[in-house]
């Protein structure tokens, strides 16, 4: 596989991301445990036994318990996956940090055998929308402009389209939302740091932010996004994607006009013309 062009602009600073992940704490990775539940739930619905799984993840110590014996692969720009070696690949909570998400999916597809399953869990566009709004408004009021602080995350519809672009069959995309509660903005930011999910954007501001920005953001957050108990609510959207490596054994859509029965007859309904 061709290596990424080192001179090409990157949305994310992978060195900063690696540093942030290195200081993550296992007891703060509740999003990964929620993602594992989603993965296991979906695997129970698949009538197939997988014998050669692989898991792409930045936190091997967490995900190695999901599928004992699975090959654990770091979420590098170029994945250490052998073409055609696996019947199941799980891309676990890392796609939202990929500079080339389509490339990640294509690499996973290449690693699958025919009729192999790709299962992806990542953070979606609704994640931390409260923090994004509060910090954005505060920075505009105090500093007179916006700076990159929270990574842009893809919407469900867009991610579903990536599966097709990667050449996967029978694509399905769905979402699960979690709400966490925090005492204040400092509590939330400390938790994000402990998750290894703090700002790794290449264009992030490198100098310290004025305290007034955070004080105003805390006020805006508390005014608009609190729980009935008076705590700050933070949304985390988990997007789950499934797609299959194409195989002749899979179901195929019928050709338009090939139906042998009318829908109205099947429903027992009377068919009529629509008004002009």
């Amino acid at each position: 596989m061709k290596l990424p062009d080192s001179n090409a602009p990157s949305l994310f600073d992978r060195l900063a991301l690696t540093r942030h992940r290195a200081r993550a704490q296992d007891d703060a990775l509740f999003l990964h445990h929620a993602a594992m539940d989603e993965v296991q739930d979906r695997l129970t619905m698949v009538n197939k036994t997988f014998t050669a799984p692989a898991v792409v993840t930045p936190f091997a110590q967490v995900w190695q318990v999901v599928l004992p014996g699975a090959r654990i692969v770091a979420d590098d720009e170029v994945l250490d996956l052998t073409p055609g070696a696996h019947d199941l690949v799980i891309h676990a909570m890392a796609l939202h940090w990929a500079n080339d998400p389509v490339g990640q999916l294509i690499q996973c597809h290449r690693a699958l055998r025919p009729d192999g399953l790709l299962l992806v869990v990542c953070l979606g566009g609704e994640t931390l929308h409260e923090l994004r709004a509060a910090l954005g408004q505060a920075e505009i009021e105090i500093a007179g402009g916006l700076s990159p602080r929270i990574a842009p995350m893809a919407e469900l519809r867009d991610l579903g389209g990536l599966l097709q672009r990667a050449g996967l069959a029978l694509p399905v995309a769905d979402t699960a939302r979690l709400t966490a509660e925090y005492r204040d903005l400092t509590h939330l930011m400390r938790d994000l740091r402990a998750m290894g999910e703090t700002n790794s954007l290449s264009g992030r501001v490198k100098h310290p932010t004025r305290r007034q920005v955070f004080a105003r953001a805390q006020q805006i957050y508390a005014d608009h996004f609190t729980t009935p108990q008076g705590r700050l609510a933070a949304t985390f959207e988990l997007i789950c994607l499934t797609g299959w490596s194409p195989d002749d054994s899979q179901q195929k859509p019928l050709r338009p006009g090939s139906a042998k029965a009318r829908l109205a007859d099947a429903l027992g309904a009377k068919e009529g013309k629509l008004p002009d």
Side-chain angles (χ1 to χ4, degrees):
M1 174 172 291
K2 182 182 178 181
L3 293 174
D5 182 357
S6 59
N7 296 319
S10 297
L11 179 61
F12 300 114
D13 181 343
R14 296 288 300 184
L15 291 178
L17 179 61
T18 299
R19 291 196 301 270
H20 296 166
R21 286 171 169 174
R23 66 190 183 196
Q25 302 169 17
D26 287 354
D27 58 359
L29 300 178
F30 68 90
L31 291 176
H32 286 261
H33 290 283
M36 284 191 290
D37 290 341
E38 294 292 332
V39 166
Q40 291 171 329
D41 183 53
R42 281 158 178 75
L43 289 179
T44 61
M45 295 186 287
V46 177
N47 186 24
K48 183 171 182 175
T49 300
F50 298 102
T51 59
V55 182
V56 178
T57 174
F59 295 108
Q61 74 278 14
V62 176
W63 283 87
Q64 63 188 0
V65 302
V66 177
L67 292 167
R71 175 174 168 77
I72 304 296
V73 177
D75 69 313
D76 297 324
E77 300 278 7
V78 178
L79 300 176
D80 185 19
L81 290 170
T82 302
H86 302 283
D87 54 6
L88 170 66
V89 174
I90 298 171
H91 202 293
M93 293 296 288
L95 194 68
H96 55 280
W97 286 118
N99 282 311
D100 181 12
V102 178
Q104 290 280 302
L105 297 181
I106 290 173
Q107 292 179 71
C108 291
H109 180 189
R110 288 176 178 171
L112 289 172
R113 300 169 183 170
D115 201 36
L117 174 64
L118 172 63
L119 205 164
V120 179
V121 186
C122 63
L123 293 178
E126 287 297 307
T127 298
L128 296 176
H129 69 86
E130 305 94 342
L131 180 61
R132 192 189 308 273
L135 277 175
Q137 183 177 336
E139 194 168 25
I140 289 173
E141 292 180 11
I142 303 299
L146 282 171
S147 58
R149 294 188 178 275
I150 301 175
M153 298 179 193
E155 301 295 334
L156 177 67
R157 187 175 181 178
D158 297 329
L159 285 170
L162 295 187
L163 291 172
Q164 293 178 310
R165 288 181 60 187
L168 291 153
L170 308 174
V172 176
D174 61 277
T175 182
R177 287 180 176 82
L178 306 176
T179 301
E181 299 181 6
Y182 295 93
R183 294 186 303 273
D184 51 33
L185 199 59
T186 300
H187 183 199
L188 169 56
M189 290 183 171
R190 285 177 179 168
D191 209 24
L192 292 174
R193 187 175 299 113
M195 296 179 201
E197 295 285 347
T198 45
N199 190 355
S200 296
L201 288 163
S202 296
R204 69 192 183 281
V205 173
K206 306 293 192 340
H207 59 74
T209 300
R210 294 161 62 180
R211 291 184 180 180
Q212 296 95 319
V213 172
F214 291 119
R216 178 59 179 143
Q218 165 67 34
Q219 182 181 13
I220 294 169
Y221 208 131
D223 287 344
H224 297 282
F225 307 111
T226 53
T227 67
Q229 293 73 32
R231 294 168 69 86
L232 303 186
T235 298
F236 296 95
E237 182 184 27
L238 296 180
I239 289 182
C240 303
L241 310 173
T242 56
W244 294 82
S245 180
D247 185 70
D248 290 339
S249 65
Q250 293 166 353
Q251 291 181 327
K252 304 293 191 299
L254 295 174
R255 292 183 296 101
S258 63
K260 294 183 172 59
R262 296 165 64 248
L263 180 60
D265 294 338
L267 297 176
K270 186 176 181 179
E271 188 175 18
K273 291 185 178 180
L274 292 174
D276 294 334

